[in-house]
Amino acid sequence: MTRASSRRPGPPTRTERGIPEATVARLPVYLRALTALSDSGIATASSEDLATAAGVNSAKLRKDLSYLGSYGTRGVGYDVEYLRYQIAREIGVTQDWAVVIVGIGNLGHALANYSGFGTRGFRIVALLDADPNLVGERIGDMEVRDFAQLEEIVEADRVSIGVITTPAGPAQEVCDRLVAAGVTSILNFAPVVLSVPDGVDIRKVDLSIELQILAYHEQRKSGEAALPQVPELPAMNGMTDLPSVGGGVGA
Amino acid sequence: MTRASSRRPGPPTRTERGIPEATVARLPVYLRALTALSDSGIATASSEDLATAAGVNSAKLRKDLSYLGSYGTRGVGYDVEYLRYQIAREIGVTQDWAVVIVGIGNLGHALANYSGFGTRGFRIVALLDADPNLVGERIGDMEVRDFAQLEEIVEADRVSIGVITTPAGPAQEVCDRLVAAGVTSILNFAPVVLSVPDGVDIRKVDLSIELQILAYHEQRKSGEAALPQVPELPAMNGMTDLPSVGGGVGA
DNA sequence: AGGAGCTTGTGAACGTGAGAACAAAATCGG
DNA sequence: CCGATTTTGTTCTCACGTTCACAAGCTCCT
C-alpha cells in the first residue's frame, strides 16, 4: 500500500490528485457524519460541528477537506449537501461498485444478509463458495454459486472488489484466483497475510487483532503492579499448552 | 486514544512501559506469525523470516521487538516459542479475558458462532439482546440473555471487554450502559462515533469504511481520465437521491 | 459604506513512524 | 584461540501526520 507519490520536499504532495492516505481513511467518516446531519435537516455546518459529529478535531478536518478543494465559505461554514456530494465523488461512491463475497460461512452469511449494502455505493453481485453443500442455498434474494464460476462472473459484471471470508487455509488461493480473474481490490477477513502483485490493493479486517490491542491497554489499566516486571525465563513446561493465541475470525 | 505518555524529546518514550501505538498494533500480527511458524515445527527464526511471515520489513520488526526487551540472539535469531510467550505476555493474552457481545443480529450471530474464540485468550461469557424474541435462543452452547441482565453479568464474570454489534440507533445507549456497568474496553461494529469517558478504550471496525477506502483507490486506477477534473457545481436536482452512502455493517 | 465578528484555509512547529545503515555480539570452522 | 560470518539491537535521518495559530475572506449590523 505504497500509494503516496512522494516527489520532492514540501507539504505532503498536495494538489494534483495526491491525497494523504490518513486523510483518505477519514473521508468516509466525514461522509457518514454529513449524511447524518443531512438527515436531521441541517443545511449548513461549521468545521467545528462536523468535527464533533465525526469524532475528530476541527483543525484536522479543515486540513483534510482542503486537500479536496475549497468547498466551504469563510464566516459561514460548509453546505452539507454540496460537501457531501463532493466527498462522495472524490471517494467514488457516486457510482456503484460490483462486489463478490467468497466464503459463505458465518461471517459471509452475515455480510450477505446485510441489507443496507445496495443503497450505499456497493452492489453484491455474487456469493461464492467451493463447498457443494452450500451452493444453491438462498440468502435473501441471492443464491450461493460455485466458486468455479468466479471468472465468468467477474467478467460479466465488471467486478473490481472482492471480499474474502473464507478460513485462513484457502484464503491465499482464493486471493490468487480473484487477482487472476481481474479483481484489483480485496477486503480480507481471513487471519492470514495475503500477498498480491503491485497494482492490487488489499485491506484487512481482523477481530482477533482488535481484541488483542484492547487487551494490551486493558492490562495496563488493571494490575499495573500485578504485572511482573520482566520474568526472564518463564517456566518452560507451561509453554506448550499456552492458549493458542494468534487465530482470527476466519469464518 | 491518547495513550503515548510524552514527557520529553528523544526516542518515542521508550522503556518504562511505553510502547508506541503503531508497534502495539503489530504485536498481534507477530504473535500470529510465530504461532504459524511454531505449528510448522520451526524452532528458531531470523528477523527476516519473521518479517516475511508477518508481512512487514525486517528493520521495523526488529525495532518493534526491541521495545519489549532483548529476546533474540545475535548471529542466530529468535527462539520461536520463547518469543511467542513474551509477546503473548506483553499483550496480555496469557490470561483469559471475559467478553460480552451485545446485539445478536447477523453479525452478532456470526461472532457468537465463531468457535476459535475460547482458545485464543478471550472467552465469551454472554450474548445479550434487548429483543424479547431473541432472548432464549440457543447459539452453539450459549443462550441469548436479556440486555437488562448486563450489570449482574459484568459484575459476576469480571467482564472488561464489550463488543457492540447493534444497529447504529441504540449503540450509544448500549455503550453508556456498558461503561456504567464497569466495562473499560469496547469494540464497536455499529456505524456511529461513540463517545466514552476518559479511561475507556474504544476501537471501531467498519465494513463500509473499508470498502469506501478501496473504492477511492479503485477509482484512481480505472478512469484516471474518465474522472471530471473539478465540476464546481453538480446538478442540484440529482443531489437529493444520491445513494445514501455513509452506512455500515451495523447488524 | 464601514467595521465587528465569525469561520475557513494554510503556513509553520512539533511529534511520531519508517527505513537505512552500522556497531555489537554470538556462532562456527580451522 | 582467532578470524570470518551471521544476525541482532540501535542510532540517525527522513517522511508523514497532527496541531497551533493566524491572515484572508465572508456576512451582518449600524
Side-chain angles (χ1 to χ4, degrees):
Chain A
M1 202 143 306
T2 334
R3 195 142 278 281
S5 58
S6 53
R7 299 167 300 103
R8 67 199 139 105
T13 331
R14 271 196 38 210
T15 54
E16 66 191 72
R17 307 273 116 196
I19 297 179
E21 194 57 33
T23 297
V24 170
R26 282 187 294 266
L27 291 180
V29 180
Y30 302 155
L31 189 54
R32 178 171 295 154
L34 284 163
T35 301
L37 291 174
S38 175
D39 289 350
S40 310
I42 295 171
T44 300
S46 69
S47 62
E48 200 67 53
D49 300 337
L50 265 176
T52 303
V56 301
N57 84 36
S58 63
K60 181 147 62 181
L61 180 132
R62 285 201 303 277
K63 177 152 283 201
D64 283 342
L65 293 185
S66 78
Y67 291 121
L68 311 189
S70 280
Y71 295 136
T73 307
R74 295 174 194 227
V76 179
Y78 300 89
D79 180 287
V80 171
E81 284 301 318
Y82 181 58
L83 182 58
R84 185 164 81 97
Y85 175 79
Q86 293 299 340
I87 293 180
R89 186 180 53 76
E90 189 72 35
I91 295 177
V93 288
T94 47
Q95 59 188 286
D96 254 30
W97 295 96
V99 176
V100 291
I101 298 179
V102 184
I104 312 302
N106 287 320
L107 184 56
H109 242 91
L111 298 188
N113 267 314
Y114 176 53
S115 55
F117 228 139
T119 56
R120 288 165 215 270
F122 300 94
R123 184 169 38 96
I124 300 177
V125 298
L127 310 173
L128 301 175
D129 204 296
D131 181 352
N133 294 6
L134 281 171
V135 173
E137 184 187 336
R138 295 203 67 81
I139 300 176
D141 59 346
M142 300 201 69
E143 192 168 307
V144 178
R145 298 169 69 181
D146 194 315
F147 182 59
Q149 294 185 277
L150 174 68
E151 285 76 8
E152 62 185 277
I153 292 168
V154 169
E155 172 128 16
D157 290 310
R158 305 197 135 289
V159 176
S160 48
I161 299 179
V163 178
I164 299 179
T165 48
T166 66
Q172 180 66 58
E173 195 194 323
V174 165
C175 176
D176 293 344
R177 283 282 295 277
L178 283 169
V179 171
V183 170
T184 47
S185 289
I186 292 175
L187 181 55
N188 175 34
F189 286 85
V192 281
V193 176
L194 296 179
S195 64
V196 292
D198 281 2
V200 175
D201 277 306
I202 189 155
R203 295 190 66 85
K204 192 174 170 210
V205 173
D206 196 314
L207 172 67
S208 273
I209 287 179
E210 298 300 326
L211 283 177
Q212 288 178 26
I213 295 170
L214 285 175
Y216 171 84
H217 293 305
E218 195 60 36
Q219 178 171 248
R220 288 296 130 106
K221 292 183 218 165
S222 44
E224 187 84 18
L227 182 73
Q229 266 305 54
V230 172
E232 280 302 331
L233 277 167
M236 274 295 172
N237 59 1
M239 288 182 42
T240 44
D241 45 280
L242 282 177
S244 112
V245 282
V249 63
Chain B
M1 207 155 292
T2 335
R3 195 142 278 283
S5 57
S6 52
R7 300 166 299 102
R8 67 200 140 105
T13 332
R14 270 196 42 207
T15 56
E16 64 190 73
R17 307 274 116 196
I19 297 179
E21 194 58 32
T23 297
V24 170
R26 280 187 296 266
L27 290 180
V29 180
Y30 301 155
L31 188 54
R32 178 171 294 155
L34 285 163
T35 302
L37 290 174
S38 176
D39 289 350
S40 310
I42 295 171
T44 300
S46 70
S47 63
E48 199 67 52
D49 299 337
L50 264 177
T52 303
V56 301
N57 84 37
S58 63
K60 182 149 60 181
L61 179 132
R62 286 201 302 278
K63 181 177 283 198
D64 284 341
L65 294 185
S66 78
Y67 291 121
L68 311 191
S70 281
Y71 295 136
T73 307
R74 294 173 194 228
V76 178
Y78 300 90
D79 181 286
V80 171
E81 283 302 316
Y82 182 59
L83 182 58
R84 185 164 81 97
Y85 175 78
Q86 292 300 339
I87 293 180
R89 186 180 52 78
E90 188 73 35
I91 295 177
V93 288
T94 48
Q95 59 187 286
D96 254 29
W97 296 95
V99 176
V100 291
I101 298 178
V102 185
I104 313 301
N106 287 319
L107 184 57
H109 242 92
L111 298 188
N113 267 314
Y114 176 52
S115 54
F117 229 138
T119 56
R120 288 164 214 271
F122 301 94
R123 185 169 37 96
I124 300 177
V125 298
L127 311 174
L128 301 176
D129 204 296
D131 181 351
N133 293 6
L134 280 172
V135 173
E137 183 185 339
R138 296 202 66 81
I139 299 177
D141 59 345
M142 300 204 69
E143 193 168 307
V144 178
R145 298 170 68 181
D146 194 313
F147 182 59
Q149 294 185 275
L150 174 69
E151 285 76 8
E152 61 184 278
I153 291 169
V154 169
E155 171 127 18
D157 290 312
R158 305 196 135 290
V159 175
S160 49
I161 300 179
V163 178
I164 298 179
T165 47
T166 66
Q172 180 66 58
E173 195 194 322
V174 165
C175 175
D176 293 343
R177 283 281 295 276
L178 283 169
V179 170
V183 171
T184 46
S185 289
I186 292 175
L187 181 55
N188 176 34
F189 285 85
V192 280
V193 176
L194 297 179
S195 64
V196 293
D198 281 1
V200 176
D201 277 307
I202 189 156
R203 296 188 66 86
K204 194 176 169 209
V205 173
D206 194 314
L207 172 68
S208 272
I209 286 178
E210 298 299 327
L211 283 178
Q212 288 178 26
I213 294 170
L214 285 176
Y216 171 84
H217 294 306
E218 195 60 36
Q219 179 172 246
R220 287 297 130 104
K221 293 182 217 164
S222 43
E224 187 83 17
L227 181 74
Q229 266 306 54
V230 172
E232 279 303 329
L233 277 167
M236 274 296 172
N237 58 2
M239 288 181 41
T240 43
D241 45 280
L242 281 178
S244 115
V245 282
V249 63

mmCIF file of all heavy atoms in Angstrom, chain A residues 208-228:
data_model
loop_
_atom_site.group_PDB
_atom_site.id
_atom_site.type_symbol
_atom_site.label_atom_id
_atom_site.label_comp_id
_atom_site.label_asym_id
_atom_site.label_seq_id
_atom_site.Cartn_x
_atom_site.Cartn_y
_atom_site.Cartn_z
ATOM 1 N N SER A 208 -9.629 -10.675 15.949
ATOM 2 C CA SER A 208 -8.684 -11.096 16.980
ATOM 3 C C SER A 208 -7.670 -10.001 17.279
ATOM 4 O O SER A 208 -7.341 -9.736 18.431
ATOM 5 C CB SER A 208 -7.920 -12.337 16.520
ATOM 6 O OG SER A 208 -8.621 -13.487 16.851
ATOM 7 N N ILE A 209 -7.176 -9.379 16.227
ATOM 8 C CA ILE A 209 -6.158 -8.356 16.424
ATOM 9 C C ILE A 209 -6.739 -7.173 17.177
ATOM 10 O O ILE A 209 -6.117 -6.637 18.099
ATOM 11 C CB ILE A 209 -5.558 -7.946 15.070
ATOM 12 C CG1 ILE A 209 -4.646 -9.079 14.581
ATOM 13 C CG2 ILE A 209 -4.795 -6.641 15.177
ATOM 14 C CD1 ILE A 209 -3.989 -8.832 13.250
ATOM 15 N N GLU A 210 -7.960 -6.790 16.823
ATOM 16 C CA GLU A 210 -8.595 -5.667 17.527
ATOM 17 C C GLU A 210 -8.751 -5.981 19.003
ATOM 18 O O GLU A 210 -8.472 -5.152 19.875
ATOM 19 C CB GLU A 210 -9.961 -5.362 16.910
ATOM 20 C CG GLU A 210 -9.928 -4.928 15.457
ATOM 21 C CD GLU A 210 -9.127 -3.660 15.245
ATOM 22 O OE1 GLU A 210 -9.132 -2.788 16.123
ATOM 23 O OE2 GLU A 210 -8.464 -3.544 14.195
ATOM 24 N N LEU A 211 -9.201 -7.186 19.288
ATOM 25 C CA LEU A 211 -9.381 -7.575 20.689
ATOM 26 C C LEU A 211 -8.048 -7.601 21.427
ATOM 27 O O LEU A 211 -7.961 -7.192 22.590
ATOM 28 C CB LEU A 211 -10.055 -8.950 20.780
ATOM 29 C CG LEU A 211 -11.547 -8.986 20.515
ATOM 30 C CD1 LEU A 211 -12.062 -10.420 20.568
ATOM 31 C CD2 LEU A 211 -12.306 -8.130 21.528
ATOM 32 N N GLN A 212 -7.027 -8.058 20.764
ATOM 33 C CA GLN A 212 -5.732 -8.129 21.430
ATOM 34 C C GLN A 212 -5.172 -6.744 21.727
ATOM 35 O O GLN A 212 -4.524 -6.530 22.749
ATOM 36 C CB GLN A 212 -4.749 -8.949 20.584
ATOM 37 C CG GLN A 212 -5.096 -10.434 20.602
ATOM 38 C CD GLN A 212 -4.182 -11.270 19.729
ATOM 39 O OE1 GLN A 212 -3.036 -10.909 19.468
ATOM 40 N NE2 GLN A 212 -4.687 -12.407 19.271
ATOM 41 N N ILE A 213 -5.429 -5.799 20.823
ATOM 42 C CA ILE A 213 -4.985 -4.433 21.088
ATOM 43 C C ILE A 213 -5.721 -3.888 22.314
ATOM 44 O O ILE A 213 -5.131 -3.253 23.191
ATOM 45 C CB ILE A 213 -5.210 -3.536 19.854
ATOM 46 C CG1 ILE A 213 -4.318 -4.002 18.700
ATOM 47 C CG2 ILE A 213 -4.941 -2.077 20.185
ATOM 48 C CD1 ILE A 213 -4.614 -3.344 17.368
ATOM 49 N N LEU A 214 -7.010 -4.167 22.388
ATOM 50 C CA LEU A 214 -7.767 -3.746 23.567
ATOM 51 C C LEU A 214 -7.214 -4.413 24.830
ATOM 52 O O LEU A 214 -7.066 -3.769 25.870
ATOM 53 C CB LEU A 214 -9.248 -4.091 23.410
ATOM 54 C CG LEU A 214 -10.055 -3.210 22.460
ATOM 55 C CD1 LEU A 214 -11.470 -3.738 22.317
ATOM 56 C CD2 LEU A 214 -10.079 -1.763 22.942
ATOM 57 N N ALA A 215 -6.892 -5.697 24.712
ATOM 58 C CA ALA A 215 -6.383 -6.434 25.875
ATOM 59 C C ALA A 215 -5.088 -5.811 26.388
ATOM 60 O O ALA A 215 -4.880 -5.690 27.600
ATOM 61 C CB ALA A 215 -6.160 -7.899 25.517
ATOM 62 N N TYR A 216 -4.245 -5.405 25.461
ATOM 63 C CA TYR A 216 -2.981 -4.773 25.870
ATOM 64 C C TYR A 216 -3.238 -3.568 26.760
ATOM 65 O O TYR A 216 -2.666 -3.436 27.844
ATOM 66 C CB TYR A 216 -2.181 -4.359 24.635
ATOM 67 C CG TYR A 216 -0.971 -3.519 24.954
ATOM 68 C CD1 TYR A 216 0.224 -4.089 25.317
ATOM 69 C CD2 TYR A 216 -1.057 -2.119 24.927
ATOM 70 C CE1 TYR A 216 1.335 -3.322 25.641
ATOM 71 C CE2 TYR A 216 0.045 -1.339 25.243
ATOM 72 C CZ TYR A 216 1.232 -1.950 25.603
ATOM 73 O OH TYR A 216 2.312 -1.173 25.922
ATOM 74 N N HIS A 217 -4.125 -2.685 26.298
ATOM 75 C CA HIS A 217 -4.405 -1.480 27.079
ATOM 76 C C HIS A 217 -5.124 -1.833 28.376
ATOM 77 O O HIS A 217 -4.897 -1.211 29.409
ATOM 78 C CB HIS A 217 -5.231 -0.498 26.256
ATOM 79 C CG HIS A 217 -4.483 0.059 25.087
ATOM 80 N ND1 HIS A 217 -3.273 0.687 25.223
ATOM 81 C CD2 HIS A 217 -4.759 0.080 23.773
ATOM 82 C CE1 HIS A 217 -2.845 1.065 24.036
ATOM 83 N NE2 HIS A 217 -3.728 0.705 23.126
ATOM 84 N N GLU A 218 -5.987 -2.818 28.292
ATOM 85 C CA GLU A 218 -6.730 -3.250 29.469
ATOM 86 C C GLU A 218 -5.780 -3.723 30.565
ATOM 87 O O GLU A 218 -5.940 -3.389 31.734
ATOM 88 C CB GLU A 218 -7.693 -4.381 29.070
ATOM 89 C CG GLU A 218 -8.767 -4.680 30.080
ATOM 90 C CD GLU A 218 -9.640 -3.471 30.342
ATOM 91 O OE1 GLU A 218 -9.927 -2.687 29.421
ATOM 92 O OE2 GLU A 218 -10.015 -3.305 31.515
ATOM 93 N N GLN A 219 -4.792 -4.458 30.146
ATOM 94 C CA GLN A 219 -3.802 -4.980 31.091
ATOM 95 C C GLN A 219 -3.082 -3.850 31.804
ATOM 96 O O GLN A 219 -2.784 -3.929 32.992
ATOM 97 C CB GLN A 219 -2.803 -5.846 30.329
ATOM 98 C CG GLN A 219 -1.701 -6.412 31.192
ATOM 99 C CD GLN A 219 -0.875 -7.435 30.442
ATOM 100 O OE1 GLN A 219 -0.900 -8.607 30.743
ATOM 101 N NE2 GLN A 219 -0.144 -6.991 29.444
ATOM 102 N N ARG A 220 -2.818 -2.778 31.064
ATOM 103 C CA ARG A 220 -2.177 -1.609 31.669
ATOM 104 C C ARG A 220 -3.024 -0.998 32.763
ATOM 105 O O ARG A 220 -2.519 -0.522 33.766
ATOM 106 C CB ARG A 220 -1.946 -0.510 30.611
ATOM 107 C CG ARG A 220 -0.897 -0.796 29.641
ATOM 108 C CD ARG A 220 0.422 -0.883 30.342
ATOM 109 N NE ARG A 220 1.096 -2.103 29.936
ATOM 110 C CZ ARG A 220 2.116 -2.124 29.115
ATOM 111 N NH1 ARG A 220 2.602 -1.008 28.666
ATOM 112 N NH2 ARG A 220 2.666 -3.258 28.773
ATOM 113 N N LYS A 221 -4.324 -0.946 32.500
ATOM 114 C CA LYS A 221 -5.229 -0.275 33.449
ATOM 115 C C LYS A 221 -5.351 -1.061 34.736
ATOM 116 O O LYS A 221 -5.080 -0.523 35.803
ATOM 117 C CB LYS A 221 -6.626 -0.155 32.824
ATOM 118 C CG LYS A 221 -6.706 0.773 31.652
ATOM 119 C CD LYS A 221 -8.140 0.847 31.180
ATOM 120 C CE LYS A 221 -8.212 0.928 29.669
ATOM 121 N NZ LYS A 221 -9.556 0.646 29.175
ATOM 122 N N SER A 222 -5.786 -2.302 34.612
ATOM 123 C CA SER A 222 -5.887 -3.102 35.834
ATOM 124 C C SER A 222 -4.472 -3.338 36.337
ATOM 125 O O SER A 222 -3.692 -2.479 36.332
ATOM 126 C CB SER A 222 -6.652 -4.397 35.559
ATOM 127 O OG SER A 222 -6.213 -4.958 34.345
ATOM 128 N N GLY A 223 -4.055 -4.462 36.693
ATOM 129 C CA GLY A 223 -2.848 -4.559 37.530
ATOM 130 C C GLY A 223 -1.537 -3.993 37.039
ATOM 131 O O GLY A 223 -0.641 -4.744 36.710
ATOM 132 N N GLU A 224 -1.378 -2.680 37.035
ATOM 133 C CA GLU A 224 -0.071 -2.110 36.701
ATOM 134 C C GLU A 224 1.009 -2.725 37.577
ATOM 135 O O GLU A 224 2.126 -2.950 37.151
ATOM 136 C CB GLU A 224 -0.074 -0.583 36.890
ATOM 137 C CG GLU A 224 1.195 0.122 36.418
ATOM 138 C CD GLU A 224 1.141 0.406 34.912
ATOM 139 O OE1 GLU A 224 0.039 0.373 34.334
ATOM 140 O OE2 GLU A 224 2.202 0.643 34.331
ATOM 141 N N ALA A 225 0.632 -3.008 38.833
ATOM 142 C CA ALA A 225 1.602 -3.595 39.762
ATOM 143 C C ALA A 225 1.557 -5.126 39.703
ATOM 144 O O ALA A 225 2.533 -5.796 39.985
ATOM 145 C CB ALA A 225 1.309 -3.141 41.183
ATOM 146 N N ALA A 226 0.412 -5.662 39.344
ATOM 147 C CA ALA A 226 0.257 -7.117 39.299
ATOM 148 C C ALA A 226 1.096 -7.738 38.195
ATOM 149 O O ALA A 226 1.339 -8.942 38.190
ATOM 150 C CB ALA A 226 -1.210 -7.485 39.073
ATOM 151 N N LEU A 227 1.559 -6.893 37.278
ATOM 152 C CA LEU A 227 2.357 -7.373 36.155
ATOM 153 C C LEU A 227 3.811 -7.539 36.584
ATOM 154 O O LEU A 227 4.467 -6.570 36.941
ATOM 155 C CB LEU A 227 2.274 -6.365 35.015
ATOM 156 C CG LEU A 227 2.989 -6.682 33.716
ATOM 157 C CD1 LEU A 227 2.258 -7.779 32.960
ATOM 158 C CD2 LEU A 227 3.079 -5.422 32.887
ATOM 159 N N PRO A 228 4.335 -8.752 36.552
ATOM 160 C CA PRO A 228 5.735 -8.945 36.925
ATOM 161 C C PRO A 228 6.631 -8.165 35.979
ATOM 162 O O PRO A 228 6.367 -8.097 34.783
ATOM 163 C CB PRO A 228 5.942 -10.448 36.753
ATOM 164 C CG PRO A 228 4.850 -10.902 35.839
ATOM 165 C CD PRO A 228 3.699 -9.988 36.094
#
